[in-house]
Amino acid sequence: TDQFQSAFSWIKNRDATDSNMWFDRVRGATKDLHSDSTAAQVTNVNTVQRFLEAGVQVGNDVQVNTANESYVLWNWMMEATGSGTLNEVGSIDSTVLVDTTLGMSVGTYTGTGNNATIGHGLGVAPEMVLVKSVDSSYGWYVYHVGLTANTYYLRLDTLAAQSSGGATIFNSTTPTSTVFSVGTNSEVNSAIEFSFMAFAPSQFISIGSYEGNGNVDGAFAPLLNSLGIPIQPIAFFTKNADGSNNWDMRDTSRNPYNPTRNNLQPSTSGAEYVGTDYVDIVTGGLKIRTSSANLNGSAKTIVYFAIGTPMIDTDGRIIAGK
């Protein structure tokens, strides 16, 4: 129905070294950020032109619509319509589009340069937050619950391992049910506009980490939702938090059968890589079948975000599983 419109759309050309194209309804159609780049927002009327009830309308820009080339669209749909509402809970006002059932909010804020809090609207504490400047060539900063401590952060646009410099990024502060924090670093908090996405565990989202063992018979990552119920994953991305490795994005549309090996990397513009870094997507988790450091570095912390269908819904009905 028209209550469920696309709110955040991520498009990647599988066949070429085009950037990862990120769009959301708060910033507006035609305005894209690239997860593999520090570049400021670009307005291009030939990219995503409209957010629809069942997807997006795209123009003829080569990054979203080249003849005879294959693309993937990861599309988050939210109940709320419009381009967000004013949130005045934090010390900095934000404009947010929120779906508490999904466990996701998308928003913007203008920084002050002082330690600050920003309202996310989720009603529960997010366990992953991404922040990127809209106006300047600043990096993508990631708070994740699976990192060593709240003093650490990751960068989405680089291969770098987690950094302990989080005091000036996320103010060494764990998000609450109402706000997340930013420090004094100009790349997350200066007098310009920033975009953010906050994700919380929900019926459909699992956020966490597992420890790699470095073996081909790799680790098993259990994926439990906010109710402790296993989910059947649809899409997931991972990062070796302790190593200089790419982020890794996979899904069941490009790989409907196990093992999954079609890999795209939000930290690079590279074309799709089909290799031997196997992962089985199974009910309740991910079974790693590679010794690759990206997914299974020995004694390394691998952080993940996964979205899927719960085996049992809130009414106790079995709705997924294999």
Side-chain angles (χ1 to χ4, degrees):
T1 71
D2 61 3
Q3 291 183 326
F4 292 89
Q5 285 189 328
S6 299
F8 166 60
S9 299
W10 173 0
I11 298 174
K12 178 67 179 82
N13 188 334
R14 300 171 64 187
D15 296 329
T17 56
D18 291 329
S19 283
N20 290 266
M21 308 287 285
W22 289 39
F23 305 86
D24 66 70
R25 283 210 324 258
V26 180
R27 291 182 295 116
T30 75
K31 297 176 181 178
D32 68 81
L33 289 167
H34 304 156
S35 64
D36 50 86
S37 169
T38 61
Q41 176 177 277
V42 174
T43 300
N44 185 335
V45 297
N46 294 312
T47 55
V48 167
Q49 298 173 326
R50 285 199 301 161
F51 295 100
L52 306 174
E53 294 172 19
V56 292
Q57 174 182 302
V58 297
N60 61 4
D61 186 273
V62 296
Q63 297 174 103
V64 298
N65 191 12
T66 300
N68 301 316
E69 291 186 352
S70 178
Y71 292 80
V72 60
L73 164 66
W74 298 293
N75 197 51
W76 279 254
M77 297 171 68
M78 291 188 176
E79 290 186 57
T81 58
S83 57
T85 58
L86 180 65
N87 184 309
E88 300 178 291
V89 173
S91 61
I92 294 177
D93 291 349
S94 58
T95 300
V96 290
L97 188 64
V98 183
D99 191 317
T100 56
T101 301
L102 178 60
M104 177 182 180
S105 68
V106 182
T108 58
Y109 66 91
T110 298
T112 63
N114 301 315
N115 290 333
T117 56
I118 297 149
H120 52 69
L122 287 168
V124 295
E127 295 189 349
M128 186 170 71
V129 179
L130 290 75
V131 175
K132 170 71 178 82
S133 164
V134 171
D135 298 327
S136 297
S137 297
Y138 292 155
W140 289 78
Y141 290 87
V142 183
Y143 168 88
H144 195 287
V145 70
L147 300 181
T148 300
N150 61 15
T151 54
Y152 285 72
Y153 67 88
L154 284 167
R155 286 276 298 270
L156 184 64
D157 54 296
T158 75
L159 284 63
Q162 61 178 324
S163 172
S164 61
T168 63
I169 303 299
F170 294 110
N171 200 23
S172 301
T173 303
T174 302
T176 72
S177 61
T178 56
V179 299
F180 68 93
S181 298
V182 289
T184 57
N185 189 299
S186 61
E187 297 207 12
V188 296
N189 187 11
S190 48
I192 56 176
E193 185 178 12
F194 293 86
S195 174
F196 73 86
M197 281 177 287
F199 299 91
S202 68
Q203 291 185 64
F204 310 101
I205 288 176
S206 178
I207 303 168
S209 64
Y210 62 90
E211 182 174 299
N213 62 21
N215 300 323
V216 173
D217 184 13
F220 177 77
L223 301 181
L224 304 179
N225 68 11
S226 58
L227 302 174
I229 294 170
I231 64 171
Q232 180 68 47
I234 295 170
F236 67 94
F237 65 92
T238 58
K239 170 72 173 81
N240 181 343
D242 297 325
S244 296
N245 303 104
N246 279 311
W247 294 74
D248 184 301
M249 180 66 170
R250 307 195 186 203
D251 59 69
T252 56
S253 292
R254 291 177 296 137
N255 269 132
Y257 306 105
N258 286 323
T260 67
R261 57 180 188 154
N262 292 51
N263 182 22
L264 284 165
Q265 297 167 334
S267 49
T268 74
S269 61
E272 185 172 79
Y273 171 69
V274 181
T276 57
D277 291 349
Y278 298 142
V279 180
D280 284 347
I281 297 178
V282 298
T283 297
L286 307 171
K287 172 58 179 175
I288 312 302
R289 299 196 180 278
T290 176
S291 59
S292 164
N294 278 34
L295 290 161
N296 195 28
S298 179
K300 303 298 185 182
T301 296
I302 316 297
V303 297
Y304 67 80
F305 166 91
I307 188 166
T309 307
M311 288 183 63
I312 302 171
D313 69 10
T314 54
D315 295 320
R317 296 172 297 188
I318 297 173
I319 56 177
K322 67 176 183 179

